[in-house]
């Protein structure tokens, strides 16, 4: 099986409600398995059927292009070029530009060169292992996002470095699907790409879509419900892709490039709500690594251009003011609203 995104396999399923009994338009759906996850696409209108077929084909193409393990993919070619520059597709180049931008703006909290460390932990294979300190120290010498060089459609990385676009690929794919649907004239659609939820417009009756975010302390229960239109909702967390080591400690798949260990900054879940799936996907990982205080500082520095839900390890929920009226808490956890001023 092709492995696209071991860096951040969605850690919080997002369920979309899309009741349409009172709608005069019928829904068209596509279900597929791609990028190591199950995906559902739903759209309304006369153009929906052909648009969803085009969207499914685009997803398959992007999977092939961005796979870290499929020989001949852009990512595989970069990782096996021994430091030489590799010509890549516009899609890959765009994702890498966004990765660099988010890495810079978050002081390296997002680092796509973490892949060798992730492999050492076994998160790419399922053969889990706690690397020793010497192994991590050696591997970390190859981890540095600034070593990824982009120039005129080509990409190069240092020898022994490896990249993985799992923290951005599904977000970019969601944007690509939205673009196809919109270009086809679809005005109402919602997709779930393995838990990355993205909506085009609102429901056919004009009401918002309903999205449920799972409880990181009880992943068979919903933590909250959000009402959204024209937004992406993407979550990263510590509670789905993890293992318990022989030392009795729990280790999860979101790795901090600063020390090579699972990010342990007081957060168990980060949900980002915004206009761009690519940005939301990248930020959900970066801000999980950064921690609550830094995430809030970053949100303020961006003037609230996106919204977020942070869940702390002591069971506190922090939400930004832009979603306060669209957020329904389904738990007994305390909710604090963060304000820009």
């Amino acid at each position: 099986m092709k492995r696209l995104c071991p860096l951040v396999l969605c850690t919080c399923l997002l369920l979309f409600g899309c009741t349409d009994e009172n709608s005069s338009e019928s829904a068209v759906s596509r279900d597929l398995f791609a990028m190591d996850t199950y995906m559902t696409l739903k759209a309304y209108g006369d153009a929906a059927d052909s648009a969803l077929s085009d969207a499914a084909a685009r997803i398959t193409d992007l999977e092939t292009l961005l796979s870290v393990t499929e020989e001949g993919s852009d990512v595989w070619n970069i990782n096996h070029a021994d430091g030489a520059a590799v010509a890549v597709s516009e899609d890959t180049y765009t994702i890498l530009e966004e990765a660099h931008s988010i890495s810079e703006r978050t002081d390296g909290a997002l680092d796509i060169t973490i892949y060798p460390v992730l492999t050492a932990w076994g998160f790419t294979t399922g053969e889990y292992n706690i690397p020793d300190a010497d192994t991590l120290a050696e591997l970390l010498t190859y981890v540095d996002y600034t070593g990824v060089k982009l120039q005129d459609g080509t990409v190069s990385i240092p020898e022994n470095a490896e990249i993985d676009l799992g923290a951005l690929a599904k977000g970019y794919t969601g944007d690509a699907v939205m673009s196809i649907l919109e270009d086809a004239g679809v005005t109402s659609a919602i997709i779930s790409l393995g838990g990355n939820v993205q909506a085009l417009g609102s429901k056919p009756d004009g009401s918002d879509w309903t999205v449920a975010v799972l409880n990181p302390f009880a992943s068979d229960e919903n933590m909250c419900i959000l009402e959204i239109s024209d937004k992406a909702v993407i979550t990263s967390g510590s509670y789905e892709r993890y293992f318990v080591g022989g030392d009795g400690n729990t280790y999860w798949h979101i790795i901090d490039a600063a020390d090579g260990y699972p990010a342990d900054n007081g957060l168990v879940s980060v949900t980002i709500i915004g206009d761009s799936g690519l940005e939301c996907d990248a930020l959900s990982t970066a801000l999980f690594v950064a921690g609550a205080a830094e995430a809030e500082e970053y949100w303020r520095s961006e003037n609230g251009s996106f919204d977020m839900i942070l869940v702390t390890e002591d069971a506190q929920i922090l939400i930004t003011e832009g979603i306060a009226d669209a957020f329904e808490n389904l738990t007994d956890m305390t909710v604090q609203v963060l304000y820009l001023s």
Side-chain angles (χ1 to χ4, degrees):
M1 180 182 297
K2 292 177 284 187
R3 184 175 299 277
L4 173 68
C5 42
L7 180 58
V8 179
L9 192 65
C10 181
T11 55
C12 181
L13 293 180
L14 298 158
L15 311 173
F16 55 83
C18 40
T19 10
D20 51 14
E21 290 86 350
N22 299 322
S23 172
S24 59
E25 295 187 81
S26 58
V28 179
S29 296
R30 290 285 188 282
D31 295 320
L32 65 154
F33 185 85
M35 299 182 176
D36 282 343
T37 194
Y38 290 97
M39 300 182 175
T40 297
L41 319 177
K42 176 175 274 193
Y44 295 79
D46 295 339
D49 188 58
S50 60
L52 287 183
S53 295
D54 291 342
R58 178 82 160 117
I59 290 170
T60 300
D61 289 344
L62 285 172
E63 177 184 29
T64 300
L65 194 67
L66 304 174
S67 170
V68 72
T69 56
E70 182 170 331
E71 185 172 352
S73 75
D74 276 356
V75 175
W76 194 94
N77 289 340
I78 293 167
N79 287 344
H80 292 80
D82 297 324
V86 174
V88 298
S89 67
E90 183 177 349
D91 291 311
T92 302
Y93 202 81
T94 298
I95 295 172
L96 288 168
E97 286 182 315
E98 179 69 8
H100 180 79
S101 175
I102 296 292
S103 296
E104 287 281 290
R105 285 149 49 196
T106 60
D107 296 323
L110 176 74
D111 196 321
I112 61 172
T113 65
I114 197 68
Y115 185 68
V117 177
L118 198 68
T119 299
W121 282 93
F123 285 113
T124 64
T125 62
E127 298 177 2
Y128 300 124
N129 167 67
I130 303 173
D132 60 55
D134 290 341
T135 297
L136 285 179
E138 180 181 357
L139 292 175
L140 285 172
T141 63
Y142 309 124
V143 175
D144 181 0
Y145 74 90
T146 65
V148 181
K149 303 302 182 183
L150 309 176
Q151 184 175 6
D152 300 328
T154 68
V155 183
S156 65
I157 60 176
E159 287 190 69
N160 299 315
E162 291 181 287
I163 66 168
D164 172 53
L165 300 181
L168 305 101
K170 285 193 295 179
Y172 181 80
T173 300
D175 289 340
V177 169
M178 293 292 105
S179 180
I180 288 172
L181 297 178
E182 194 168 12
D183 288 348
V186 174
T187 58
S188 181
I190 192 163
I191 64 174
S192 176
L193 307 183
N196 285 27
V197 171
Q198 198 156 349
L200 175 62
S202 56
K203 292 182 184 179
D205 64 5
S207 62
D208 289 335
W209 301 101
T210 302
V211 177
V213 182
L214 293 183
N215 186 338
F217 300 106
S219 58
D220 58 343
E221 300 175 3
N222 292 331
M223 178 185 73
C224 67
I225 292 174
L226 285 174
E227 294 182 347
I228 63 162
S229 290
D230 267 329
K231 296 291 181 183
V233 182
I234 297 178
T235 300
S236 292
S238 61
Y239 51 91
E240 270 202 350
R241 190 109 184 251
Y242 66 89
F243 71 94
V244 178
D247 57 4
N249 294 320
T250 300
Y251 299 93
W252 46 89
H253 70 291
I254 306 177
I255 304 296
D256 189 339
D259 61 9
Y261 281 85
D264 189 11
N265 293 314
L267 292 173
V268 294
S269 175
V270 173
T271 299
I272 305 296
I273 304 99
D275 298 327
S276 163
L278 177 57
E279 181 180 49
C280 290
D281 210 359
L283 284 178
S284 70
T285 300
L287 299 185
F288 183 95
V289 172
E294 289 78 6
E296 181 178 353
E297 181 180 351
Y298 181 82
W299 172 72
R300 293 181 187 281
S301 74
E302 296 292 308
N303 296 312
S305 62
F306 62 93
D307 283 292
M308 61 185 183
I309 304 168
L310 310 178
V311 185
T312 65
E313 62 186 7
D314 60 352
Q316 303 294 310
I317 302 174
L318 309 176
I319 67 172
T320 50
E321 61 179 304
I323 57 168
D325 292 337
F327 175 93
E328 180 184 352
N329 183 15
L330 302 178
T331 73
D332 58 2
M333 288 189 276
T334 301
V335 177
Q336 178 187 345
V337 180
L338 305 176
Y339 295 94
L340 282 173
S341 58

